[in-house]
């Protein structure tokens, strides 16, 4: 059946399993909206394209399926570049489809005109291409979905000229079989090295979350110690006596790596934002397992493959053994790391631990760049991976609220909360309108210390007189109620926990205002 190309795109996406599209219609992309309802796709109206991008990101992280966003030419695309940059940094499968002007070389002064729209998106995406006809857009969409499934998932951008969107086109071809990631390679060398080590130390990143059960089996069989990155939390069981947790960024964790005689890094970049130092601190051999060969610099044994498959193969092949790590030394290190965290940002650890104890075990958390999250990411152990999402690498403010909306839409049966700071929350506060409109039972924990405290403290450490770190805040409770949301300001830790539990049962979002004096 011939339809305008814009409508055929929606039908194609539905045929590839897309159930939700996030976006904002505009005069230049209305043809994309012609087929959404007919295709049976739900559209979520964001209040800003940045919000739409973060919603698509949050949806993808919650479901494991690509998040899709429709945006217009020019400012619509530039507004979504920040979320696309975040998705690139954190390996999140997001597909942005935009319109573009039909011709820009010989004409100037057109609405939403940019010098190089395709190139702008290419700076933050895995790739960005212009599809000038149906055949090209169908091929690029299928390429994007194939790469999401079989390679490191990163955002893609496709743009279609406005005129092409309205032309009649044949339907997209049927979907191809899903590509599969390579089977686990020959692991004999890795098995030999791990079996011979007396102090093997595993480091798990977010890329290993699909193999977390195998990882736990492997650690138990070999009695190996472990760290996780923030993105890898939940891969290792919280009660594992040889788990150092997510304290990787503690400076003294380098001393732990120095005592290892083999490090095995699985599904992690070992990036600056994981360590905040040049290297983990090891002087022993390093095995790296990753689907991205770019990560193999410095590895003594690189293993290219899907982390889950490699972990399952290792768990089956490794014989049982003992190591020289002891629960006592791990417990002592964890206690020291926790004390350091509490001393650096006083009062947050008790709040985080109270919330962790009160909330359902399967709660999913979306956090922003805020001191509350910086502390919680270290002390809040997760029972399974994929339950805490944060703008790790790119470090964007305004992530938590729209991403949590996307996550709740993707997994409506799961409890979801957002954690934001008073400053970052205002980057995307308008998405409260979307949460209210959809009736989402979403607690929004707002950490309000009345300033950009992390920046203030950084200035003080650099012996710079704090400047531009205090801004006038609105009455957050009144503002939330103006949007139609609930709002509470608890007076105690028990009141905080009660407020969050009530909010999880509500028929709309609830802003919960937290201040540093709440811990007493």
């Amino acid at each position: 059946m011939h339809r305008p190309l814009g409508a055929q795109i929606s039908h194609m996406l539905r045929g590839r399993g897309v159930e939700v599209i996030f976006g904002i219609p505009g005069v230049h992309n209305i043809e994309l909206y012609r087929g959404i309802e007919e295709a049976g796709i739900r559209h979520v109206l964001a209040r800003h394209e940045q919000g739409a991008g973060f919603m698509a990101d949050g949806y993808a992280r919650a479901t494991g399926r690509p998040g899709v966003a429709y945006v217009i030419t020019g400012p619509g695309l530039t507004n979504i570049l920040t979320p696309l940059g975040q998705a690139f940094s954190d390996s999140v499968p997001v597909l942005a489809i935009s319109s573009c002007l039909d011709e820009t070389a010989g004409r100037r002064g057109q609405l939403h005109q940019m010098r190089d729209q395709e190139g702008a998106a290419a700076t933050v995406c895995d790739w960005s291409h212009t599809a000038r006809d149906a055949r090209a857009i169908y091929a690029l969409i299928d390429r994007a979905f194939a790469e999401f499934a079989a390679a490191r998932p990163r955002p893609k951008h496709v743009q279609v000229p406005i005129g092409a969107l309205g032309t009649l086109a044949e339907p997209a071809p049927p979907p191809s079989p899903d590509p599969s990631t390579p089977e686990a390679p020959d692991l004999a060398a890795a098995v030999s090295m791990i079996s011979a080590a007396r102090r093997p130390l595993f480091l798990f990143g977010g890329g290993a979350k699909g193999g977390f059960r195998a990882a736990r089996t492997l650690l138990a069989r070999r009695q190996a110690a472990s760290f996780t990155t923030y993105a890898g939390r939940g891969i290792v069981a919280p009660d594992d006596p040889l788990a150092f947790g997510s304290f990787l960024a503690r400076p003294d964790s380098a001393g732990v790596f120095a005592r290892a005689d083999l490090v095995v890094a699985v599904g992690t970049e070992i990036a600056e934002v994981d360590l905040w130092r040049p290297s983990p601190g090891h002087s022993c051999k390093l095995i790296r397992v990753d689907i991205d060969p770019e990560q193999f610099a410095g590895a003594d044994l690189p293993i290219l493959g899907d982390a889950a498959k490699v972990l399952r193969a290792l768990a089956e092949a490794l014989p049982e053994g003992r190591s020289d790590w002891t629960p006592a030394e791990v417990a002592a290190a964890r206690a020291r790391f926790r004390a350091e965290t509490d001393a650096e940002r006083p009062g947050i650890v008790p709040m985080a631990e109270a919330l962790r104890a009160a909330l359902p075990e399967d709660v999913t958390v979306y956090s922003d760049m805020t001191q509350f999250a910086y502390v919680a990411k270290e002390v809040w152990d997760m029972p399974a991976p994929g339950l805490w999402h944060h703008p790790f690498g790119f470090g964007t403010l305004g992530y938590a609220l729209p991403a949590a909306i996307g996550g709740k839409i993707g997994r409506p049966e799961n409890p979801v909360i957002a954690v934001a700071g008073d400053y970052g929350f205002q980057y995307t506060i308008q998405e409260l309108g979307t949460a209210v409109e959809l009736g989402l039972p979403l607690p929004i924990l707002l950490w309000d210390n009345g300033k950009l405290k992390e920046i203030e403290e950084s200035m003080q450490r650099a012996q710079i007189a704090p400047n531009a770190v205090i801004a006038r805040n609105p009455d957050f409770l009144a503002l939330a109620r103006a949007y139609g949301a609930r709002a509470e300001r608890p007076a105690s830790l028990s009141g905080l926990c009660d407020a969050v539990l009530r909010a999880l049962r509500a028929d709309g979002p609830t802003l919960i205002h937290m201040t540093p004096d709440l811990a007493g």
Side-chain angles (χ1 to χ4, degrees):
M1 177 181 179
H2 283 72
R3 298 183 180 92
L5 178 56
Q8 295 287 30
I9 290 170
S10 293
H11 281 270
M12 180 186 187
L13 291 172
R14 187 68 187 91
R16 271 66 176 168
V18 173
E19 298 175 347
V20 182
I21 290 174
F22 303 90
I24 302 176
V27 293
H28 280 179
N29 73 346
I30 54 174
E31 285 295 338
L32 285 170
Y33 283 76
R34 185 185 294 276
I36 289 180
E37 292 184 359
E38 183 185 60
I41 294 177
R42 178 184 184 185
H43 182 270
V44 175
L45 176 63
R47 280 8 185 209
H48 188 282
E49 287 89 358
Q50 181 168 324
F54 285 142
M55 289 176 196
D57 175 298
Y59 177 92
R61 297 195 201 206
T63 64
R65 302 190 299 271
V68 180
Y70 281 174
V71 296
I72 61 163
T73 47
L77 180 72
T78 58
N79 284 342
I80 205 173
L81 292 186
T82 295
L84 293 175
Q86 188 63 62
F88 184 92
S89 179
D90 291 347
S91 302
V92 181
V94 174
L95 174 61
I97 299 178
S98 75
S99 55
C100 64
L101 296 175
D102 297 316
E103 195 280 324
T104 58
R107 295 183 61 190
R108 291 290 184 267
Q110 300 177 79
L111 178 66
H112 301 331
Q113 187 163 10
M114 291 177 62
R115 294 181 63 190
D116 186 359
Q117 183 170 294
E118 180 183 305
T123 63
V124 289
C125 288
D126 192 23
W127 46 258
S128 169
H129 294 301
T130 302
R132 300 199 175 276
D133 56 31
R135 182 178 178 181
I137 184 65
Y138 298 160
L140 287 169
I141 289 175
D142 273 342
R143 175 186 167 189
F145 277 74
E147 292 177 7
F148 289 150
R152 183 175 183 177
R154 278 180 154 162
K156 330 286 184 183
H157 167 249
V158 183
Q159 60 182 20
V160 185
I162 298 166
L165 287 172
T167 59
L168 289 178
E170 293 182 351
S176 303
D178 289 339
S180 60
T181 54
E183 292 299 322
D186 183 4
L187 301 175
V191 170
S192 176
M193 292 171 68
I194 298 170
S195 299
R198 297 304 306 163
R199 296 178 75 86
L201 181 61
F202 282 76
L203 171 57
F204 297 105
K209 63 186 178 184
F212 79 98
R213 291 184 177 86
R216 294 180 180 187
T217 299
L218 187 158
L219 292 173
R221 287 179 62 83
R222 192 58 189 82
Q223 294 190 9
S226 66
F227 276 94
T228 70
T229 65
Y230 298 137
R233 280 184 305 155
I235 292 174
V236 180
D239 59 355
D240 185 330
L242 296 181
F244 285 97
S246 56
F247 290 107
L248 188 63
R250 292 287 106 202
D252 194 36
S253 72
V256 177
F257 278 86
R259 299 197 297 274
D261 62 356
L262 176 69
V263 173
V264 184
V266 186
T268 172
E269 292 180 282
I270 319 181
E272 178 189 62
V273 294
D274 296 321
L275 294 172
W276 299 111
R277 58 179 183 271
S279 74
H282 63 290
S283 58
C284 57
K285 289 189 179 299
L286 171 66
I287 298 174
R288 296 197 71 166
V289 179
D290 211 285
I291 201 169
D292 183 356
E294 186 179 335
Q295 305 308 318
F296 291 148
D300 297 285
L301 177 59
I303 299 175
L304 180 64
D306 176 74
K309 293 180 179 179
V310 172
L311 287 170
R312 285 193 289 268
L314 285 175
E316 293 174 1
L318 275 171
E320 292 188 2
R322 300 183 62 84
S323 77
D324 293 342
W325 297 105
T326 67
E329 69 177 307
V330 174
R334 287 190 62 122
R336 184 171 66 254
F337 296 154
R338 179 191 178 281
E340 290 174 2
T341 303
D342 192 27
E344 284 180 2
R345 302 180 178 101
I348 298 177
V349 168
M351 297 173 67
E353 292 180 339
L355 285 166
R356 181 187 62 194
L359 286 169
E361 190 176 59
D362 62 344
V363 68
T364 301
V365 182
Y366 288 85
S367 59
D368 218 315
M369 300 294 288
T370 175
Q371 286 193 327
F372 188 93
Y374 303 156
V375 171
K377 287 187 302 174
E378 294 193 275
V379 302
W380 190 318
D381 290 325
M382 307 304 293
L387 294 177
W388 191 298
H389 305 290
H390 184 80
F392 295 108
F394 211 41
T396 58
L397 286 165
Y399 172 81
L401 174 59
I405 291 171
K408 186 63 178 176
I409 290 169
R411 299 290 297 275
E413 72 282 2
N414 281 21
V416 174
I417 67 173
V419 177
D422 57 306
Y423 198 83
F425 179 59
Q426 295 179 73
Y427 275 50
T428 51
I429 193 171
Q430 68 275 5
E431 302 307 338
L432 265 175
T434 301
V436 170
E437 189 171 83
L438 298 176
L440 300 180
L442 179 65
I444 303 159
L445 278 62
L446 181 65
W447 173 247
D448 183 2
N449 55 22
K451 60 177 67 176
L452 290 164
K453 190 168 177 59
E454 190 73 11
I455 309 307
E456 179 184 66
E457 292 173 354
S458 296
M459 287 179 167
Q460 290 169 340
R461 286 193 296 270
Q463 298 184 343
I464 298 171
N467 185 20
V469 295
I470 298 176
R472 178 185 174 88
N473 278 337
D475 182 334
F476 287 111
L477 275 67
L479 187 55
R481 291 178 181 129
Y483 272 101
R486 292 169 174 78
E488 294 195 42
R489 182 181 286 122
S492 64
L493 286 183
S494 61
L496 169 64
C497 296
D498 290 342
V500 177
L501 294 174
R502 280 194 300 274
L504 288 171
R505 299 189 298 268
D507 58 0
T510 305
L511 181 72
I512 301 171
H513 191 246
M514 307 185 303
T515 54
D517 59 359
L518 193 57

